[in-house]
Amino acid sequence: MIRIKFACFAYKFGKNRCSIDRTRALLAKTNFLRSVNVRQYSFEYDVSEKDLHVPVMAQEVLTYMDPSPGKIYVDMTFGAGGHATKLLEHSPGVKIFVLDRDPLAYECAKDLSQRYPGQVVPLLGKFSELPQLLKQYDIKENSIDGFLFDFGCSSMQFDVAKRGFALSKDGPLDMRMDGFRCPEQITAADVLERATEEQLARIIKIYGQEKRAKKIARAIIDVRYMCRKLETTKELAELVESTLGGEIRRDSLGRFSHSATKTFQALRIFVNNELNEINYGILLAQVYLKLSGRLITISFHSLEDTIVKRHISGNITDNVANTVALKYANRGKVFDKGEVEKLTETPWKMMHKHVLIPTAEEIQANPRSRSAKLRVITKVK
C-alpha cells in the first residue's frame, strides 16, 4: 500500500504557508464548508473543437518524453488532451492514463479514449486520488515510464465564463476545478463572504504574491459592512481596480495586465488547494516511475516552480519542503558535509542544464505560453 504523508507544504513562506492550511482547517471546523450553498448551474462547451487547447511546449515534451511502443505514461493534467494527443500521434503504440479533476476534461478524455481504444484510460480525480484510481487497473509501483504535469488552469476553464476563473468574462465567483464533483468544496465567493480580513490578506499575499494584499482585503471587508456580497468576477475585478486607484500593471511581455489578476490567482489556488496537490503529485510520481523514468513539469508562476525545484534539489524532509536555506540556519549556522548531503538527498537528476522556456515564435502564436517553464527530471534511485 502506498502511504505518503500529505503534509502542510511549507516551502518559501514558512509559518505563513502553514497558517494558510490552518485557515482552511479552521473554516471547515467552524461549519464553513458545511454551510456552503451548492450553486447549480450548467454550461456548454464543444469538446470536439479543434483549437480547444493549444498544448504549451509540445515539441519539447515529445523530445524529452521520447515515446515508443509499449511504454506507459500518466498525463496528470489532461485538460483538453493537447499533450496526450501529441504523444499518441507520435507513437501509436503507447498507453496513457489521463487524469483530470475537472468533469469537463474527463468528458474530453472519454472522447479521446474512443478514438484510441485500449490506449487511453480516462481518470477523474485530483493528484492525491491517483493511487485509488490506478488500483483498479493493477498498476504497481515502479512501473510507469513517464509522468507529465502541466500546472494551472486549462484554456477551457478560462474560456467558460460560468466557471469563474477569468476576470475578463463576467460569471459567478466559483473557481472550483472539480466543478460539482465535490459539492461540499468552497467557492471563491464563499471565501470572500466568510474569511476574516487577516485570512483574506494572507491568502492574497502568499498565493497571489500581491504587495497590496492588506488594502484589497480591507476593501472586501468594507463591502460586507455595506451588506453586499461579491458574487461575480466583474464585481471583484472592479472592486480591486478601484481599490488600487486604477494602477496600471504590465506582464512579462510589457502588455497590460489587470490589477486584479493576482487576487484571482490567489483565490483559485486556495479554493483548489493547488500547491499541496502539486507537492503530493510529484511524490506519487516518484513512487510509480521506473528507474530512469521521466517526469516533465510545466509551471506558469514561481509558486509552482518553487515546489518543483525543491523536489529536484532534495530540499524536502518528511514530504514537506524544507524552509531552511542550505547555507544559513539557526542564526548563521553552517551545515557540515554530512548535513548538506542529507538535506540534498534526492531521487531525481536533471536532464538539461537550465530551465526551458517557449520560443519567441511559440509565444507569438500562443500568448498564454509566455510564462511557461519546463523542467525534465529522471528517476535515478
Side-chain angles (χ1 to χ4, degrees):
M1 179 183 295
I2 297 173
R3 292 186 178 180
I4 297 178
K5 179 182 174 184
F6 193 7
C8 165
F9 192 72
Y11 55 102
K12 184 177 180 181
F13 300 99
K15 294 181 180 179
N16 283 337
R17 178 61 191 87
C18 282
S19 64
I20 287 287
D21 282 347
R22 287 198 293 271
T23 295
R24 191 190 313 277
L26 179 61
L27 292 177
K29 197 171 183 179
T30 57
N31 291 322
F32 178 59
L33 296 181
R34 290 189 288 274
S35 64
V36 170
N37 294 320
V38 179
R39 294 164 177 77
Q40 297 294 340
Y41 58 78
S42 61
F43 56 86
E44 297 179 355
Y45 205 86
D46 181 8
V47 297
S48 64
E49 186 179 342
K50 290 184 179 179
D51 59 350
L52 188 65
H53 173 67
V54 179
V56 174
M57 304 185 74
Q59 186 54 53
E60 290 83 350
V61 169
L62 287 176
T63 299
Y64 281 98
M65 195 65 82
D66 190 26
S68 59
K71 288 187 176 181
I72 303 175
Y73 299 98
V74 178
D75 184 346
M76 295 285 277
T77 47
F78 178 75
H83 287 109
T85 301
K86 292 289 185 181
L87 289 169
L88 290 162
E89 291 173 348
H90 184 274
S91 185
V94 301
K95 183 174 183 179
I96 307 178
F97 289 88
V98 293
L99 174 74
D100 207 291
R101 63 194 293 179
D102 191 325
L104 180 56
Y106 182 63
E107 292 303 316
C108 292
K110 289 195 293 186
D111 179 66
L112 188 64
S113 68
Q114 293 176 0
R115 290 162 47 197
Y116 293 90
Q119 290 184 259
V120 177
V121 182
L123 304 174
L124 177 61
K126 298 178 288 188
F127 299 161
S128 54
E129 296 172 318
L130 183 67
Q132 302 93 292
L133 295 170
L134 289 180
K135 186 177 181 181
Q136 60 184 307
Y137 298 99
D138 197 31
I139 300 299
K140 307 296 185 183
E141 298 178 19
N142 308 308
S143 63
I144 302 296
D145 294 285
F147 269 77
L148 172 64
F149 290 86
D150 183 4
F151 301 127
C153 285
S154 67
S155 296
M156 58 186 180
Q157 288 171 331
F158 277 117
D159 291 341
V160 179
K162 291 182 180 179
R163 302 300 299 274
F165 289 99
L167 56 83
S168 60
K169 302 176 184 291
D170 193 23
L173 279 166
D174 193 312
M175 300 192 188
R176 292 173 298 177
M177 290 180 173
D178 298 275
F180 296 110
R181 191 175 72 89
C182 303
E184 76 285 354
Q185 184 181 352
I186 60 175
T187 66
D190 297 323
V191 176
L192 295 174
E193 181 183 357
R194 305 294 183 85
T196 66
E197 182 177 348
E198 181 184 0
Q199 290 168 344
L200 286 170
R202 189 181 303 122
I203 290 168
I204 297 170
K205 179 181 179 180
I206 295 175
Y207 286 155
Q209 299 175 299
E210 172 59 69
K211 294 180 180 179
R212 306 182 72 181
K214 288 185 178 180
K215 189 170 185 178
I216 295 171
R218 179 68 258 171
I220 293 170
I221 298 300
D222 287 342
V223 170
R224 286 190 204 164
Y225 290 152
M226 292 185 286
C227 299
R228 287 178 50 205
K229 291 183 180 180
L230 292 169
E231 295 184 328
T232 70
T233 55
K234 182 179 179 180
E235 290 173 349
L236 178 59
E238 290 179 346
L239 174 65
V240 175
E241 186 176 32
S242 62
T243 300
L244 301 185
E247 179 181 312
I248 298 177
R249 296 181 176 182
R250 299 190 180 278
D251 62 21
S252 58
L253 296 181
R255 301 180 307 180
F256 172 76
S257 177
H258 199 286
S259 54
T261 298
K262 293 183 177 181
T263 300
F264 271 67
Q265 172 186 298
L267 289 170
R268 188 202 83 212
I269 291 174
F270 179 80
V271 165
N272 295 289
N273 197 22
E274 291 181 39
L275 300 188
N276 276 321
E277 285 292 323
I278 291 172
N279 182 54
Y280 199 74
I282 296 176
L283 290 169
L284 286 173
Q286 177 186 335
V287 171
Y288 282 105
L289 275 174
K290 298 177 179 177
L291 279 177
S292 300
R294 298 180 180 182
L295 169 62
I296 298 179
T297 65
I298 304 175
S299 56
F300 291 87
H301 56 72
S302 61
L303 298 179
E304 298 166 343
D305 196 46
T306 295
I307 297 174
V308 178
K309 288 188 292 185
R310 292 287 189 184
H311 282 270
I312 294 172
S313 69
N315 194 12
I316 187 166
T317 303
D318 294 330
N319 303 330
V320 181
N322 197 328
T323 60
V324 181
L326 293 181
K327 291 185 178 179
Y328 305 100
N330 299 332
R331 298 182 180 179
K333 172 188 175 183
V334 178
F335 291 111
D336 61 33
K337 183 178 179 180
E339 289 173 319
V340 171
E341 289 179 351
K342 183 177 180 180
L343 283 171
T344 57
E345 185 178 1
T346 175
W348 304 111
K349 179 182 178 181
M350 285 282 291
M351 296 192 66
H352 49 87
K353 187 174 182 180
H354 302 292
V355 65
L356 305 179
I357 60 176
T359 62
E361 292 76 16
E362 179 172 1
I363 294 174
Q364 183 67 30
N366 181 18
R368 286 180 176 173
S369 70
R370 64 187 180 274
S371 57
K373 291 183 178 181
L374 186 145
R375 297 182 186 274
V376 188
I377 54 181
T378 184
K379 182 178 175 180
V380 293
K381 61 179 177 179

